[in-house]
Amino acid sequence: MTSVREAGAIAKKQLALREHLWPAIEPWLWNRKAHRGFATIPKTLPLILKIMDEMTKGAPVSSTYLTLWCSTWDNSFVAVSKPSEMANAAGFGGQRGEHTWASRMRKLQELNFIDIKAGRSGPMSHVLLYNPHFVLREHYAKKTPGLTEASYTALLEWALDIGARDMVDPLPDGTV
């Protein structure tokens, strides 16, 4: 498991190697401390998205979830003021785009990855994103169809490699 100190040492080594391989490249890179519009995401998100799509065979939800995640301000909350723009960003355009997006949102809610509340923009005005590690741990315990042993184990291994203790520490009290 990677400690905070080890993570800092790894980052320093990577920066030194990057500077050797690409000298003076810094101005061309995205720096979340210097530029606005950056989202904080779990390092395990690529595997989480893959698992979500496995759980929703034939109706992938990963682009919808990623769009939600990129719409938060690091507070796990999204105010959906323009559903058509969210649908478009998730890859759903045309006449049925917003309908398809709404159906994927409902799937994410059914699987407990998000919760949705109505407001002035309609039935999907406010969205809360739950910790996806906690959600997947609960699906694993319930043996939810589509969540394979191999994918869950890969997620657990990756999480442990990066020190994501929320995959092994006790879950919060109560239910979602």
Side-chain angles (χ1 to χ4, degrees):
M1 179 173 5
T2 306
S3 69
V4 172
R5 182 179 296 159
E6 290 170 327
I10 291 168
K12 280 185 177 182
K13 287 179 187 177
Q14 287 181 342
L15 284 174
L17 184 56
R18 185 189 78 191
E19 185 60 31
H20 170 76
L21 296 170
W22 293 279
I25 197 67
E26 185 72 32
W28 287 94
L29 305 179
W30 187 276
N31 180 335
R32 69 182 175 90
K33 295 175 183 168
H35 303 287
R36 298 186 108 150
F38 197 91
T40 304
I41 63 169
K43 287 183 176 280
T44 56
L45 192 59
L47 195 46
I48 291 166
L49 297 175
K50 173 188 174 283
I51 291 170
M52 288 176 157
D53 287 346
E54 290 172 351
M55 294 174 71
T56 59
K57 279 282 189 231
V61 296
S62 59
S63 65
T64 302
Y65 189 73
L66 180 59
T67 301
L68 289 170
W69 202 282
C70 291
S71 299
T72 70
W73 293 95
D74 283 346
N75 59 8
S76 299
F77 175 79
V78 179
V80 180
S81 60
K82 297 178 183 171
S84 61
E85 287 182 10
M86 294 291 286
N88 184 58
F92 307 117
Q95 291 180 324
R96 298 194 38 82
E98 198 170 330
H99 173 77
T100 303
W101 172 81
S103 73
R104 304 301 160 86
M105 291 284 288
R106 284 189 292 278
K107 284 186 181 295
L108 286 167
Q109 185 177 33
E110 289 166 12
L111 289 169
N112 248 7
F113 286 102
I114 65 173
D115 195 22
I116 302 168
K117 299 289 184 187
R120 69 179 176 194
S121 296
M124 295 187 177
S125 292
H126 307 289
V127 182
L128 182 71
L129 283 74
Y130 294 114
N131 180 327
H133 289 164
F134 292 165
V135 174
L136 287 170
R137 286 176 62 187
E138 292 201 332
H139 282 296
Y140 182 75
K142 292 189 288 189
K143 298 184 181 345
T144 301
L147 178 56
T148 67
E149 183 74 33
S151 290
Y152 184 82
T153 300
L155 174 63
L156 180 60
E157 289 171 326
W158 191 346
L160 292 174
D161 283 348
I162 62 169
R165 299 284 316 160
D166 56 351
M167 282 298 293
V168 292
D169 285 347
L171 291 171
D173 290 335
T175 58
V176 176

